[in-house]
């Protein structure tokens, strides 16, 4: 039986840089897929979408983006640039259900003062809290 080679973990700063770059890329994605349709709706129908509709649209776009990329190759556009890949704890490809779970856990992890990010500084495996809860981890690709 072949020895299992542990996958290298990206540094904390590398993961933060990737998250920052991801935010920049998502601004462009959301500008096209979120703002443009609502501007066109306002221009042609002379109506504005309710704030709840805009928020739901934004959340749906982010969900589709992350779950698709994480479950199809384990890398978003920014993760490819920073050579980071999302895998299961065992090192295999992430299933769509796991990607969805990670996405859902990301929100409280980040929005509650970033506690899920800071968690990685104290976690024995250096995992973000949402990775610990979803059974995933980030590795160098």
């Amino acid at each position: 039986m072949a020895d299992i080679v542990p996958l290298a973990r990206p540094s904390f700063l590398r993961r933060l840089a990737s998250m920052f770059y991801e935010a920049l890329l998502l601004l462009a994605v959301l500008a096209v897929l979120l703002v443009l349709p609502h501007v066109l709706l306002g221009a042609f129908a002379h109506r504005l979408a309710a704030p709840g509709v805009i928020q739901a649209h934004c959340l749906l776009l982010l969900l589709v983006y992350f779950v698709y990329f994480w479950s199809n190759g384990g890398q978003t556009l920014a993760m490819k640039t920073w050579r980071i890949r999302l895998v299961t704890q065992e090192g295999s490809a992430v299933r769509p259900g796991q990607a969805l779970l990670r996405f859902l856990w990301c929100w409280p992890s980040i929005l509650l003062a970033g506690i899920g990010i800071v968690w990685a500084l104290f976690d024995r495996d250096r995992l973000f809290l949402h990775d610990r809860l979803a059974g995933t981890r980030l590795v160098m690709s």
Side-chain angles (χ1 to χ4, degrees), residues 10 13 16 119 133:
L13 290 177
L16 288 181
W119 174 278
L133 295 171

Side-chain angles (χ1 to χ4, degrees), residues 7-8 26 35 40-41 51 58 65 87 89 133 138 141:
L7 300 170
L26 283 173
V35 175
L40 292 175
L41 176 68
C58 181
Y65 174 86
V87 296
Q89 289 292 346
L133 295 171
L138 295 171
S141 62

